[in-house]
Amino acid sequence: MRPPANSSPTAPGYGSDLVVDLLRAVGIEHVAINPGATFRGLHDSLVNYAGGRGPQLVLTTHEEIAVALAHGYAKAKGAPMAAVVHDIVGLQHASMAIFNAFCDRVPVLVLGATGPMDTAKRRPWIDWIHTALVQGTQVRDYVKLDDQPASVAAIPEAFLRAWRLARTEPQGPVYLCLDAALQEEALERPVSVPDVARFQPASPPHPDPRAIDDAARRLADARFPVIVAEFLGRRPGVAASLCRLAELLAAPLVDLSAEYQGRPSVPGAHPLDMSGVRHEVLREADLVLALDVSNLLGALGLTDRSTREVRLLNESTRVISISLEDYAARSWAQTFQSLVPVDVPIAADATLALPALVAAVEDRLRRDRGAAERRARAQRVAARHAAQRAEWQAVVSIERSSRPLAPSVLAAEVWGVVKDEDWVLANGTGKGWARRLWDWQPERVAGGSGGAGLGYGLPAALGVTLAHRDSGKLCVNLQADGDLLYVVSGLYTAAHHRLPLLTVMFNNRTYGNDEEHQEAMAKARGRPVENKVVGIRIDDPAPDFARIAQGFGVHAEGPIDTADAVGPALRRAVRVVKEEGRPALVDVITRP
Ligand SMILES: Cc1ncc(C[n+]2csc(CCOP(=O)(O)OP(=O)(O)O)c2C)c(N)n1
């Protein structure tokens, strides 16, 4: 295709140059890619048209990595980046990560491409087999919008609509497919980029004041109110008003993200934090305030591992729920979960409802005489909280000499090195032990995948690291082996882009979660429990993650199998991360 006569490095000459202008206009700083011919036009524009002025390319070796990286980045940055994926095949690889972002309510701008829709412009074979009607249908059930503009002139509107919807609450990924022929089309006349400030997302919905008043009255009157949060931590700074509400009401706090996926919002050291003994307080609760909870049955019930039977902890508990989950419902994957009776349903952004609820509760309690009972309840809960934390510390002491290392001991060792740093937990919880043993501050924790699709940890942690690069923070990834093996080539992106991430392997050489399931199955059926490892253990041969990482150019040590060796190896790795600005991995063998 001939370049237009008036082309210059700064004037858009092709359809894909216009896309770059749009990316720049909305402030996208990074674009993760895995190359493909269907977006060769856009690729050229990102490299040659944008020059150093446009978004920076992040090379990934799998489309799932590209999207998961963008997922982690958006959570840490509070602003989305883009991931560009090749036609049908790239989108299929990306789909798992798009699903995770959808469940986690995280905005990602997924830009795709298709062989020319105009059959007269297609090459034989590849342009045909990689073109779909309509490509977005592959992921339509778990993106907020998919679109495919049919002309260059239609690109700005499609782009800005997708951009706006991705960031409108409840947030989520969007997919915009750019026809290869449109990307490569020479512009006959300039296409202007609209004023993007006029296409911002609508302000998130505030709660109905009457509903807040009703909720405040019920909370103030409750005998034993409990506050449960799941995705509340998606907005920074929410912990302060959450804790204030809990303190006013002397209400135990349960962060469901400690047990399931989600976005942490409850500080682990808060004396009302009962996340580790959820069932104890929910058994006693006469009223539950659920904030941004989609897994209500998971919160209120207890599941029998072998029979899958779920029992409510307290049949008479009443429920107030504040969330936007009903606005995110889709018919395909049943992410709306179990239909649990709710007595006061409030459709609102829970992070915005909290200050209003705090004010309304303050007002009610001023006229209330239950202060003594609340004080006694707060003391009782705080004592249980302290006892629970002491029990966890005792577990570490008891397990200190066990070989292979217990996850509790490894989490304690990592904390010993990390605690003096300005740390960010970019992925993982070390089987929950980081929450129990670390000074768990939710704003330092990126949270899980949302969709429980493995292959999330490393790439998402890289995205978090990219967002925090040059901030002086130490990004830490507590990485399970099974999860890493889906996306192990993400280590190349880490090394290539000098992403200073500290990865500590909790390497139990197995798909541990599934061993538990096979054990439960064997017991339920009276079959040999020792067979639970078949088709599950990853130990013959055991992958040598240090050598794998070194092969990708990452500083690495291991395998380490004694507690005493962990600290020195971690300190050497932290030096590489902080002083050389390079990724490091320490492989530690843990108990299956
Ligand atoms: C893409 C995908 N495949 C399979 C599963 C099923 N699955 C859930 S947990 C799990 C085991 C995870 O093993 P690992 O990451 O090593 O963590 P561990 O349980 O050993 O701590 C598997 C295979 C899944 N959730 N996602």
Side-chain angles (χ1 to χ4, degrees):
M1 190 166 296
R2 277 184 302 112
N6 66 347
S7 85
S8 78
T10 49
Y14 299 93
S16 55
D17 291 350
L18 175 65
V19 177
V20 168
D21 281 341
L22 286 159
L23 289 166
R24 289 179 56 204
V26 299
I28 287 189
E29 292 175 5
H30 299 281
V31 176
I33 64 156
N34 177 250
T38 46
F39 66 87
R40 64 184 192 174
L42 180 58
H43 197 153
D44 168 73
S45 297
L46 284 162
V47 174
N48 294 313
Y49 170 63
R53 300 166 297 126
Q56 301 298 302
L57 287 183
V58 178
L59 171 59
T60 66
T61 49
H62 193 297
E63 291 83 356
E64 184 172 346
I65 297 175
V67 175
L69 189 148
H71 179 173
Y73 176 94
K75 288 202 272 190
K77 192 81 174 178
M81 60 178 273
V84 189
V85 302
H86 190 33
D87 54 39
I88 288 182
V89 288
L91 187 57
Q92 288 187 78
H93 264 182
S95 59
M96 172 68 261
I98 295 174
F99 179 73
N100 274 340
F102 178 75
C103 293
D104 207 14
R105 312 277 176 252
V106 171
V108 177
L109 177 63
V110 183
L111 295 177
T114 170
M117 294 311 291
D118 182 350
T119 54
K121 292 187 174 147
R122 286 186 200 164
R123 296 170 294 167
W125 183 54
I126 197 77
D127 284 349
W128 287 86
I129 65 169
H130 281 186
T131 302
L133 274 179
V134 169
Q135 203 158 277
T137 55
Q138 262 191 127
V139 292
R140 184 165 291 170
D141 286 306
Y142 42 95
V143 291
K144 287 193 71 180
L145 179 84
D146 69 277
D147 200 358
Q148 186 171 316
S151 69
V152 171
I155 289 176
E157 179 175 336
F159 183 100
L160 291 175
R161 183 182 293 108
W163 177 245
R164 180 167 81 176
L165 276 176
R167 294 174 308 139
T168 301
E169 295 287 353
Q171 299 183 335
V174 290
Y175 175 66
L176 191 61
C177 185
L178 301 165
D179 186 315
L182 296 187
Q183 295 174 52
E184 295 178 31
E185 188 175 308
L187 299 185
E188 302 276 304
R189 63 187 84 82
V191 179
S192 61
V193 172
D195 175 5
V196 298
R198 301 185 67 199
F199 297 92
Q200 295 303 316
S203 56
H206 282 256
D208 172 0
R210 284 166 309 178
I212 287 294
D213 202 47
D214 184 22
R217 179 182 55 77
R218 289 171 186 252
L219 285 164
D221 291 349
R223 181 185 44 75
F224 196 90
V226 174
I227 303 175
V228 182
E230 189 179 17
F231 284 92
L232 190 68
R234 72 204 152 76
R235 290 271 183 86
V238 75
S241 43
L242 177 64
C243 292
R244 172 84 186 124
L245 183 65
E247 288 155 17
L248 281 170
L249 294 164
L253 285 160
V254 172
D255 195 337
L256 212 55
S257 71
E259 198 175 341
Y260 297 97
Q261 303 285 332
R263 308 283 286 278
S265 56
V266 178
H270 195 283
L272 290 169
D273 175 36
M274 290 279 105
S275 307
V277 284
R278 166 181 68 85
H279 50 281
E280 287 181 21
V281 287
L282 285 160
R283 201 168 277 140
E284 209 178 330
D286 60 335
L287 182 65
V288 164
L289 171 64
L291 298 170
D292 244 343
V293 176
S294 59
N295 184 8
L296 257 180
L297 189 61
L300 304 176
L302 209 54
T303 309
D304 182 310
R305 192 119 206 195
S306 51
T307 63
R308 297 180 193 230
E309 195 187 320
V310 187
R311 204 167 30 80
L312 282 181
L313 287 158
N314 183 340
E315 297 275 352
S316 63
T317 304
R318 293 288 171 264
V319 180
I320 302 166
S321 170
I322 308 180
S323 106
L324 290 171
E325 275 302 289
D326 284 351
Y327 294 163
R330 292 294 169 89
S331 305
W332 185 67
Q334 306 212 326
T335 53
F336 42 70
Q337 304 185 50
S338 184
L339 187 64
V340 172
V342 171
D343 304 279
V344 185
I346 302 176
D349 185 320
T351 61
L352 299 178
L354 257 179
L357 198 51
V358 167
V361 166
E362 264 171 343
D363 192 43
R364 289 219 161 247
L365 293 186
R366 220 169 277 137
R367 292 169 263 137
D368 179 86
R369 285 197 297 274
E373 285 120 73
R374 282 195 299 278
R375 235 186 340 268
R377 186 163 67 225
Q379 278 166 4
R380 179 159 68 91
V381 173
R384 182 69 186 98
H385 169 90
Q388 177 64 66
R389 282 176 83 83
E391 272 173 48
W392 288 329
Q393 291 295 343
V395 169
V396 178
S397 306
I398 294 165
E399 296 192 321
R400 181 147 286 282
S401 54
S402 74
R403 293 266 294 267
L405 259 69
S408 63
V409 175
L410 180 52
E413 288 294 325
V414 180
W415 179 238
V417 173
V418 161
K419 67 178 192 301
D420 300 323
E421 304 286 343
D422 186 6
W423 60 274
V424 169
L425 186 52
N427 169 61
T429 63
K431 287 268 175 199
W433 283 100
R435 191 178 193 285
R436 297 178 196 126
L437 303 177
W438 297 22
D439 178 13
W440 184 265
Q441 300 162 27
E443 58 278 11
R444 291 183 182 272
V445 184
S449 65
L454 294 175
Y456 164 86
L458 174 69
L462 292 176
V464 172
T465 309
L466 181 65
H468 286 302
R469 184 143 74 175
D470 302 324
S471 69
K473 293 187 189 301
L474 175 67
C475 293
V476 182
N477 171 25
L478 305 183
Q479 179 65 60
D481 53 332
D483 180 60
L484 180 62
L485 284 170
Y486 291 89
V487 284
V488 72
S489 65
L491 289 165
Y492 180 73
T493 297
H496 177 69
H497 288 286
R498 316 280 188 277
L499 290 169
L501 171 68
L502 172 65
T503 292
V504 185
M505 297 292 303
F506 279 61
N507 180 4
N508 57 9
R509 292 180 169 160
T510 189
Y511 294 108
N513 182 275
D514 292 279
E515 261 189 50
E516 291 171 34
H517 282 295
Q518 295 316 124
E519 181 173 327
M521 197 81 280
K523 283 180 178 158
R525 294 179 172 182
R527 292 178 178 174
V529 169
E530 59 275 19
N531 286 347
K532 68 179 182 178
V533 299
V534 178
I536 288 189
R537 283 277 162 102
I538 317 172
D539 63 351
D540 182 20
D544 185 337
F545 287 101
R547 283 176 64 191
I548 292 169
Q550 286 158 2
F552 282 112
V554 171
H555 166 94
E557 291 191 38
I560 290 171
D561 59 2
T562 60
D564 292 347
V566 173
L570 283 180
R571 273 184 275 278
R572 285 189 291 274
V574 168
R575 261 200 302 281
V576 169
V577 169
K578 286 178 67 178
E579 289 167 23
E580 298 174 30
R582 290 198 298 127
L585 178 146
V586 177
D587 181 20
V588 186
I589 309 307
T590 55
R591 192 170 62 197

